[in-house]
Amino acid sequence: MSSQALRPVLPQRGVARVKNVLSGDTVVLLGKAAPGHPAPEVVFTFERVTAPRMASKANSNRDDPDAFPAREWLRKTCVGKNVSFETRKQGASAGDRVYGILHLPHPNGDGSQLNLAVETVRNGHAIPKVFGKSASMGSSSSGNAADGGENGAGGAADATNASDDNIDPEDPVQVYERQLQDAHQEAKAARVGVHSPHPLVRTIKNAGDDFTTQELVEKIKKFSSTGKVQCVIEYIFDGSRFRCQVTGPPELESAGVMFGSFTLILAGVASPRMGNPRATPPTTDEAFAVDAREFVSTRLLHRELDMTVYGTDKAGVCAVGTVHHPRGNIAVELLKAGLARVSDWSARMMPPSDVPAFRIAENNAKRANFGVWHSYEAPQISGASQISGLCVEALTGDTINILPDGVSYDDETKLKKVSLASVRAPRAGNERYGKADDPYAYECRERLRVLTVGKQVTVNIHYEREIPMGSNSDNRQFGTIAVGKRPDVGEVLIAEGLAVTQRHRDDEEKSPRYDELIAAESIAKANSKGVHSTNEYKKRTVNDLTSPQKAKAYSGSLIRGGPVKGVVEYCFNGTRFKLFIPSENCSIVFALSCLRAPQASPVPGAKVQTKAEPFGDECKRHSRMTVLQRNVEIDCTGVTMGGVITGDMFVGQGGQRRSMSIELISKGLASLDRRKVEYGEAPKDVVEAQEIARASKVGLWSLEQEEAPAAVPHTAAKVQEQILTVQLSEIRSGNHFFFHIVGEETSQMIEESMKLFTSNNGTAGAPCDA
């Protein structure tokens, strides 16, 4: 075939980089990429040299003798380096195999060039091809056509068949042939490579067929003194998945996993996936998948590197680990270039100290819109990104209500509902639908209440989510809540085992402190705290005294017990609450005695919608701000027919301790019951507080008051005093008894009737029909 008929893919001479090594005589050369196109690749085989055949499925995963050492010598010599090539023969189309010679600068730096084919033969990793005397001495490189273009064909013979006398020093073909023959003789004399008495014959073991990936992970941790394994990265599936072959340390040979082949998932990152044209239906490459694969291939393919293996994926098929490259962490470099995202599920397996670098690299790529983040926009937050204010209520184990600083609490919409970012608390149940609380739901909410309610908090908002609420949705804000010296309340809950870290998708926004949350969860798991405990959860039981029967029966012990401490769970209005009393483990409905609060607006969804009275909502909001979910002290004095226990409530401690009744009366948000005042049952200090509020016209007293009708004086007729002789018939108590007057006619008639009845019927009992 004439040279005009050929369509060469390589010039006759040039420079290229060795991408990877296929065998002891074949490499893949990588050219220079044109703008917008991938770098061209060419399979390049040494001219007139044949190396042992590598293991494959065709030969039962077993090498020819010395095949693996031959490939390894060439791999270590030239992978990733620039070489000079000289083309001798190439196919008719791009992608066909090319035959020729490769030269590499000599390691001693003297400027000379090493012929890699000759050096391969000299080290005994290949043998030269000889095609007879005429072909050896006078033929050009086209003489290889007899091979059918395959280096693996037979025909190798002793190089001594060549003549030493007829070599033309000006003919590069003859000089090259002579160099191969001399190198072959040196190798035979040294008995190296294929000429050694016992060349290495490798048998590849595949994960899944010869051993499980979990067994490999366990043996590496057990037998490797450094905890690492040496592997050659044989193939790149995509930017974060590689096929690796175990090559060290030597201790693993006794474990039976040497030369084991397995798939490694790069811990902490997930690159776009390559498509599969053989799938049904065929899948296409994800955006930037080719770029990620090429990025990793040029840096890792066919390199022997140390790896730390942490575990396996969920299916147990692939190992998960980190590749240790002398120049840095390839996972971080992928993130910097925007060719991968942080993978939270695999990042959990890594040491917590290694993960922050991943987050920083990903955030920088996001801000610069690199790679997969080319269309990324920072989350839009409605309102301020930071909120400071007073925590009013802990709604659940991860959500609170905040009254921002400088905002007047004149409406419920002024409260900001904020949830902890990247924190998942156990879900509270729903009594209406018969759904019980998840284990530790109460403990988590109670801990959040103690940490935040009634305290000044600072919230940094990170993202927002649409939370479905029945037929509507709630645009919920998620952030990090700081209280006092605690930078993140969510971390406290997770560290105590009362909550867990939220599992996000790779493209979801998350807390900037996500890695700290994961570390806290790992510690809680190790210590088997809370939700991570293997012990059976003891369900919380509370004695519910909100029903009238139970409240009346139990009220006596509360009244006699004196002041007790409780927690306000709910405010029905400004003076009526639901309390939990820890010392008695009971819930009660409690009302401030002698006080009447204006009717507040009904809660949303209430069946009966009544109009609110003036200052009713203000009274309720004041009580919510003052006592809701706070620790209080109550002094029970009575119980109503409806089962509501009455008394006084005290808020605060020490010098801040104050009566809730006096506080509401002083602000004009409640009034004394007239009947209690008339009967003299109202405490004197509360009456005085109301008089001061009335005189100051605050709250209710600022409204026009209806004048009470003047009381008509009633004079009772004076009864004439008499001294009577009586006989007691029954005594019920110290001030309750029955009597009749001695000598009275009615008493005598009753006595006579009873005597007659006794004489007729006797005193013995008689049967009766039931």
Side-chain angles (χ1 to χ4, degrees), residues 397-408:
D398 55 11
T399 305
I400 62 175
N401 267 339
I402 299 173
L403 180 65
D405 292 337
V407 176
S408 177

Side-chain angles (χ1 to χ4, degrees), residues 739-750:
F739 68 91
H740 59 263
I741 302 172
V742 177
E744 191 177 28
E745 183 180 355
T746 305
S747 299
Q748 293 178 357
M749 291 178 62
I750 293 174

